[in-house]
Amino acid sequence: HRRGRHKGIAVMSVWVVDEAHARVHQGAMWHCSSLVTSLSDGASLDMVITAPTNDNPHMMMEAACGGDAELLFYEGVLFSGGTTETVYNHKRTASDVWAGIVLTSPTITSTGTQLSVKFMPGGSHGQAQGSAQSFDQEWIIRNDSSYLLRLTNRSGSAKRASLGCSHYSSPLVILG
């Protein structure tokens, strides 16, 4: 709420922000990303996101590649190993840390159920500029479940590529 005066009359207004913006202010929005400088043609950049046991996070994903690529999203991935990535709180003054885990370069033994696939056109000849893609809507992922975000280079040569995800806690976790 905002209080003020207008022509001698006390005024109170309500500020309205979307859910994701509100979560940033509450210190409950996180981000993680990974960049590779040379992703071979046909190779994949994999990111596994395992949600916390007490939360069903709302997740948004993004990807970029210097040429044609495919962006795939799977649920129920089976994997081993990988590099633990740092997950940053969008509210830089907040001390809260995300209770889930994000890994890059894990060994995938089963991709699980494919939920989405997107083609990312990178252009051709003198117009080849690469492509960036994000999912149009948030996914509310299951607690204590693992998801695979996979970017596969289909350009015909090695290209720079990146994957990222932002996610915020369910309102029930914040209020609970």
Side-chain angles (χ1 to χ4, degrees), residues 92-163:
R92 300 307 299 142
T93 57
S95 59
D96 293 345
V97 295
W98 193 56
I101 297 170
V102 178
L103 301 169
T104 52
S105 304
T107 300
I108 305 297
T109 54
S110 172
T111 56
T113 303
Q114 182 179 307
L115 300 177
S116 181
V117 61
K118 295 200 179 218
F119 173 68
M120 299 170 50
S124 60
H125 307 295
Q127 300 299 315
Q129 298 177 6
S131 181
Q133 179 71 51
S134 62
F135 285 95
D136 299 332
Q137 297 294 322
E138 300 172 1
W139 286 84
I140 300 174
I141 61 176
R142 295 178 190 199
N143 65 327
D144 207 21
S145 296
S146 294
Y147 293 81
L148 171 63
L149 185 57
R150 172 174 278 177
L151 177 67
T152 303
N153 179 3
R154 301 288 185 206
S155 70
S157 62
K159 300 291 181 186
R160 289 174 62 94
S162 66
L163 272 180

Side-chain angles (χ1 to χ4, degrees), residues 46-114:
D46 289 340
M47 180 179 281
V48 170
I49 301 101
T50 301
T53 57
N54 67 336
D55 192 5
N56 294 99
H58 298 227
M59 188 166 71
M60 299 143 292
M61 295 151 277
E62 62 198 34
C65 186
D68 287 356
E70 295 169 352
L71 178 60
L72 300 107
F73 183 50
Y74 299 90
E75 178 178 59
V77 60
L78 300 177
F79 64 94
S80 61
T83 302
T84 302
E85 296 292 330
T86 301
V87 180
Y88 295 97
N89 193 314
H90 277 239
K91 185 175 183 180
R92 300 307 299 142
T93 57
S95 59
D96 293 345
V97 295
W98 193 56
I101 297 170
V102 178
L103 301 169
T104 52
S105 304
T107 300
I108 305 297
T109 54
S110 172
T111 56
T113 303
Q114 182 179 307

Side-chain angles (χ1 to χ4, degrees), residues 2-24:
R2 182 177 177 169
R3 298 173 192 261
R5 296 192 78 73
H6 178 70
K7 296 184 180 183
I9 300 171
V11 176
M12 185 177 210
S13 63
V14 175
W15 291 359
V16 178
V17 296
D18 67 27
E19 189 77 16
H21 187 155
R23 295 294 176 254
V24 171

